[in-house]
């Protein structure tokens, strides 16, 4: 159920999730499709043991969105020497090990957390020159500047603390510099000090190899509208966000698909939820 014709300018998306995030993934894919009428996408899924019915659900939805779908089941054997526990599950390593896990044919990938809406084009980010870096990522500034400073001290770094929920990855360069062993060793040596393990590892080991992105455009923390508005001198209001921001990231424990979400962009997320539900219902009628 996938397309086969190659596209040199196709945007390759990477996600890693379990079955609990399949529905948010359909919302993410809906938002991408509606805001990219002229673009082609491939969706790559890294997973450990996704049930077959969930894989089929994702494949059907991706197909209806016009996306190729490439699921990759990650072998546990890769993690024989890795610190693995409830706190440090195998899945936390997946995005960092994308250069090892993804096929050689994929030379660049855009990793997105599933708790994201894409409301403007990703094309400028996809085509952004990487300037020799491995990753491009944004740090959440403003309201979280105190935590940025704490993280610098905690991880002994000089750069900003980058969020790992949106990562543009140059896989060609990454395959030259990233391998599992240094990552596993770092986690093993810091068993108690890693707060957000994969994000901490990204910053501690590869922070100097990250191209900084503007978070207001490419990883907007949906909790912090007032901070962005104040920081910009009133410029980045709702109209500005809807016209300029590409990626709205619903960070934190509160999620807009759960009861009681009160942040400003929750209603926008619910709108895309409804569109995803309508698309799923339409697809089911067509499949009868």
């Amino acid at each position: 159920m996938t397309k086969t014709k190659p596209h040199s300018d196709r945007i390759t998306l990477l996600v890693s999730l379990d079955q609990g995030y399949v529905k948010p993934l359909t919302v993410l894919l809906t938002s991408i499709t509606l805001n990219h009428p002229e673009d082609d996408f491939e969706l790559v899924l890294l997973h450990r043991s996704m049930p077959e019915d969930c894989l089929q659900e994702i494949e059907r939805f991706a197909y209806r969105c016009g996306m190729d779908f490439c699921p990759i089941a990650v072998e546990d054997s890769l993690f024989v020497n890795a610190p693995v526990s409830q706190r440090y599950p195998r899945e936390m390593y997946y995005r960092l090990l994308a250069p090892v896990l993804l096929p050689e044919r994929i030379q660049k990938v855009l990793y997105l957390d599933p708790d994201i809406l894409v409301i403007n084009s990703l094309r400028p980010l996809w085509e952004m020159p990487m300037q020799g870096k491995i990753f491009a990522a944004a740090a959440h500034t403003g309201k979280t500047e105190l935590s940025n400073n704490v993280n610098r001290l905690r991880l002994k770094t000089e750069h900003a603390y980058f969020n790992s929920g949106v990562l543009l990855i140059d896989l060609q360069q990454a395959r030259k510099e990233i391998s599992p062993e240094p990552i596993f060793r770092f986690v093993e040596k810091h068993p108690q000090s890693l707060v957000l393990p994969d994000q901490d590892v990204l910053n501690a080991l590869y922070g100097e190899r990250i191209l900084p992105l503007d978070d207001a455009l490419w990883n907007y923390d949906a909790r912090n509208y007032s901070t962005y508005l104040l920081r910009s001198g009133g410029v980045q209001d709702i109209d500005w966000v809807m016209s300029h921001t590409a990626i709205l990231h619903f960070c934190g424990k509160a999620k807009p698909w759960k009861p009681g979400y009160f942040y400003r962009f929750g209603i926008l997320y619910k709108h895309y939820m409804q569109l995803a539900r309508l698309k799923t219902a339409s697809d089911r009628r067509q499949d009868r």
Side-chain angles (χ1 to χ4, degrees):
M1 290 176 57
T2 57
K3 300 180 296 180
T4 56
K5 62 179 181 177
H7 296 271
S8 60
D9 61 347
R10 171 182 291 174
I11 297 175
T12 303
L13 304 173
L14 174 64
V15 295
S16 176
L17 47 91
D18 59 26
Q19 62 196 86
Y21 272 84
V22 172
K23 294 304 181 185
L25 177 62
T26 65
V27 179
L28 169 60
L29 298 184
T30 298
S31 71
I32 291 171
T33 301
L34 292 176
N35 290 291
H36 295 81
E38 304 298 326
D39 283 300
D40 290 309
F41 290 87
E42 178 180 16
L43 176 67
V44 181
L45 167 67
L46 291 176
H47 69 98
R48 183 182 179 191
S49 56
M50 182 78 75
E52 186 60 31
D53 61 332
C54 289
L55 289 175
Q56 291 175 359
E57 180 181 353
I58 296 171
E59 182 176 25
R60 284 194 298 269
F61 201 91
Y63 179 77
R64 296 298 186 188
C65 290
M67 297 183 183
D68 285 344
F69 179 52
C70 177
I72 298 175
V74 180
E75 296 291 336
D76 285 348
S77 59
L78 179 64
F79 302 96
V80 170
N81 298 318
V84 174
S85 65
Q86 184 174 1
R87 187 181 182 200
Y88 302 136
R90 290 169 177 82
E91 291 81 355
M92 84 169 205
Y93 297 104
Y94 288 0
R95 76 190 85 180
L96 295 178
L97 294 179
V100 178
L101 299 173
L102 269 56
E104 289 284 339
R105 67 173 178 81
I106 302 178
Q107 300 181 2
K108 181 169 62 172
V109 71
L110 176 59
Y111 171 85
L112 296 175
D113 274 351
D115 56 349
I116 275 174
L117 284 181
V118 174
I119 61 172
N120 281 296
S121 178
L122 295 170
R123 177 62 62 180
L125 174 59
W126 181 253
E127 296 179 349
M128 185 177 295
M130 294 288 286
Q131 302 177 25
K133 303 291 188 179
I134 300 176
F135 302 99
H140 287 146
T141 54
K143 188 174 182 179
T144 56
E145 190 58 30
L146 176 60
S147 63
N148 265 314
N149 291 333
V150 170
N151 287 322
R152 288 190 190 101
L153 291 172
R154 182 170 59 85
L155 299 174
K156 298 180 175 58
T157 59
E158 298 295 330
H159 53 76
Y161 185 73
F162 295 102
N163 181 273
S164 61
V166 178
L167 293 174
L168 183 63
I169 310 173
D170 181 343
L171 293 174
Q172 288 183 296
Q173 188 63 35
R175 288 181 180 119
K176 301 174 184 176
E177 301 186 38
I178 295 178
S179 61
E181 289 73 20
I183 295 173
F184 298 161
R185 283 199 302 270
F186 183 85
V187 175
E188 190 171 27
K189 289 180 180 178
H190 303 83
Q192 302 302 321
S193 61
L194 301 183
V195 179
L196 298 171
D198 56 339
Q199 193 161 275
D200 284 353
V201 174
L202 171 73
N203 280 273
L205 293 184
Y206 306 110
E208 299 297 335
R209 305 293 291 123
I210 297 176
L211 177 71
L213 298 175
D214 184 347
D215 59 319
L217 297 175
W218 304 116
N219 195 343
Y220 187 107
D221 187 337
R223 300 169 295 183
N224 292 338
Y225 171 78
S226 297
T227 301
Y228 287 105
L229 185 65
L230 181 64
R231 187 181 70 181
S232 67
V235 172
Q236 293 175 357
D237 58 9
I238 287 287
D239 290 336
W240 187 95
V241 171
M242 296 303 297
S243 297
H244 295 86
T245 297
I247 296 174
L248 278 177
H249 192 178
F250 293 85
C251 306
K253 293 182 179 180
K255 299 300 181 187
W257 59 86
K258 294 181 178 180
Y261 189 84
F262 61 86
Y263 294 105
R264 186 177 301 263
F265 293 100
I267 189 65
L268 179 62
Y269 191 92
K270 291 182 184 298
H271 172 65
Y272 278 100
M273 281 180 64
Q274 178 66 6
L275 295 177
R277 281 195 292 264
L278 291 172
K279 188 173 187 60
T280 299
S282 175
D283 293 347
R284 287 173 178 166
R285 287 195 297 270
Q286 293 180 31
D287 290 340
R288 288 174 184 171

